[in-house]
Amino acid sequence: EQIADDMDDPHPHCAFTAQFGHCSQELMNLLMTGAATSNVFDGVKDMGGLLMKGCLGRPHVGYLTQIEALRYCSVGTYLKTPKKPIWIVGSSSHFTVLFALDMAPITESNSDQILEKCRRAFKVVDGDENGFIQMTSLRDVLLLLDLMDKVGEAGLP
């Protein structure tokens, strides 16, 4: 029952195997994150009332895909920067496992962490991911970043 709740389309025709017997994204996400979500982006997106679920946190094993280079999807930073330096890489016909012997590939600098925090706060306000927000939404971004006390109210709409 929990697995069906995780999926965007929990109808009986949705299975863990896709066309030609390939593994579905729901099964991959279940194995990597413990939740059978249907997407690889970070968080939940509201698509006009339909909630699309992606990865909700950093898993131990990450995921990369060849089809992101073709711009068919966008893998979120949670799956790109797993807790352990292990990634499953999906291609059009098979999966490969990549790993590193040390933590260097997933170690984020302080500036990387700040940049990611800013991106997440901006995405909360820019739900359509247009890359722009209304001036009136700047206050919300600053609140999410705990910067209102440093910036103050001056000049904000």
Side-chain angles (χ1 to χ4, degrees):
E1 188 175 306
Q2 179 62 48
I3 291 173
D5 289 341
D6 290 342
M7 295 179 181
D8 289 342
D9 186 9
H11 292 93
H13 69 275
C14 285
F16 284 132
T17 54
Q19 188 176 18
F20 308 117
H22 292 181
C23 175
S24 71
Q25 192 62 53
E26 288 85 356
L27 180 57
M28 288 300 300
N29 288 352
L30 179 62
L31 295 172
M32 292 182 300
T33 69
T37 57
S38 301
N39 303 287
V40 294
F41 52 73
D42 292 345
V44 177
K45 293 185 181 182
D46 185 347
M47 306 296 277
L50 175 64
L51 294 180
M52 307 290 286
K53 294 174 242 167
C55 188
L56 301 177
R58 285 180 65 205
H60 288 281
V61 176
Y63 181 73
L64 304 170
T65 179
Q66 176 188 22
I67 64 171
E68 183 173 24
L70 302 172
R71 300 195 183 263
Y72 289 130
C73 75
S74 180
V75 177
T77 55
Y78 288 146
L79 287 169
K80 287 182 180 176
T81 57
K83 294 178 182 175
K84 304 291 182 189
I86 304 167
W87 294 266
I88 297 170
V89 182
S91 75
S92 59
S93 62
H94 65 281
F95 294 100
T96 302
V97 175
L98 294 178
F99 64 93
L101 298 177
D102 61 28
M103 299 298 276
I106 58 170
T107 303
E108 291 183 305
S109 67
N110 286 340
S111 61
D112 288 339
Q113 292 173 7
I114 292 168
L115 180 59
E116 188 56 34
K117 184 178 178 181
C118 291
R119 282 185 181 142
R120 289 190 192 287
F122 196 87
K123 279 185 179 182
V124 167
V125 177
D126 179 28
D128 296 331
E129 296 186 30
N130 294 321
F132 299 96
I133 60 171
Q134 296 289 326
M135 189 68 178
T136 55
S137 299
L138 182 57
R139 177 188 321 274
D140 297 332
V141 173
L142 294 174
L143 284 170
L144 289 167
L145 294 171
D146 297 323
L147 293 175
M148 277 304 291
D149 58 334
K150 293 179 181 150
V151 175
E153 295 288 330
L156 289 178

